Amino acid sequence: MACNRADYLERTIKSILKHQNAVASKYPLFVSQDGSNAQVKEKALSYDQLTYMQHLDSKPLQTERPGELIAYYKIARHYKWALDKLFYEHKFSRVIILEDDMEIAPDFFDYFEAAAALMEKDKTIMAVSSWNDNGQKQFVHDPEILYRSDFFLDLDG
């Protein structure tokens, strides 16, 4: 997921390509750009290993409550548009979402492959995340434990 930071997008794409392995090569890569930043589009199109999608939304936005930031609604529209494309048009049964400022660990794809197997077995698992505020070295006692949560993190709150 990208918008207007070509340099960040490049770091993310390079990180993904660096860690592609037999597992990762099974999954096609997409960049979904929100908006028309020319540098982001050019950067995304410079990689043959991915498919580029562009979300151009000119519909007016209205917040639900006074004082809310319109940017959150724009981001939500982009996510909905991109996920609709991937799930309904491309017929994927699951996707991994990365924003344009993320770099991945060497075991990223193996982690999600194992998590996908868990999701197939346990239909009460709605989503899997590799983001964890408590994943820092001083908090981790067993790097092989997987924790289950009943909430999504609010990264902005």
Side-chain angles (χ1 to χ4, degrees):
M1 302 297 274
C3 182
N4 59 8
R5 301 183 295 185
D7 54 338
Y8 281 55
L9 177 61
E10 181 172 32
R11 282 185 15 213
T12 299
I13 292 171
K14 284 182 175 181
S15 173
I16 292 167
L17 296 176
K18 176 182 175 185
H19 296 300
Q20 276 200 315
N21 57 26
V23 170
S25 65
K26 295 189 302 186
Y27 302 103
L29 302 175
F30 287 77
V31 168
S32 181
Q33 179 185 358
D34 191 22
S36 58
N37 182 283
Q39 290 83 20
V40 169
K41 184 174 185 174
E42 182 180 334
K43 185 58 61 187
L45 290 173
S46 72
Y47 288 92
D48 293 335
Q49 303 94 321
L50 59 85
T51 300
Y52 173 77
M53 306 186 312
Q54 186 175 28
H55 177 243
L56 298 171
D57 187 7
S58 59
K59 294 178 196 166
L61 278 168
Q62 191 131 26
T63 61
E64 291 180 17
R65 292 176 291 284
E68 285 185 306
L69 293 175
I70 294 230
Y72 292 125
Y73 287 83
K74 288 182 178 186
I75 292 167
R77 275 192 184 173
H78 178 214
Y79 267 77
K80 180 181 182 336
W81 178 86
L83 291 172
D84 282 351
K85 285 273 209 194
L86 295 172
F87 286 122
Y88 299 122
E89 189 174 306
H90 291 280
K91 307 282 190 224
F92 292 116
S93 59
R94 59 182 169 254
V95 298
I96 299 171
I97 300 169
L98 290 171
E99 293 186 358
D100 63 2
D101 59 354
M102 297 179 170
E103 294 182 43
I104 64 171
D107 64 348
F108 178 85
F109 290 106
D110 294 321
Y111 169 79
F112 278 101
E113 184 80 358
L118 288 174
M119 289 180 77
E120 289 297 319
K121 291 179 189 168
D122 184 347
K123 298 300 181 189
T124 66
I125 299 174
M126 184 177 89
V128 173
S129 175
S130 62
W131 176 261
N132 182 347
D133 283 333
N134 296 315
Q136 300 167 31
K137 220 179 228 183
Q138 68 266 29
F139 301 126
V140 176
H141 304 290
D142 184 343
E144 295 191 17
I145 289 180
L146 185 63
Y147 292 99
R148 185 176 182 134
S149 173
D150 61 355
F151 66 94
F152 280 117
L153 294 174
D154 177 5
L155 301 178
D156 297 316

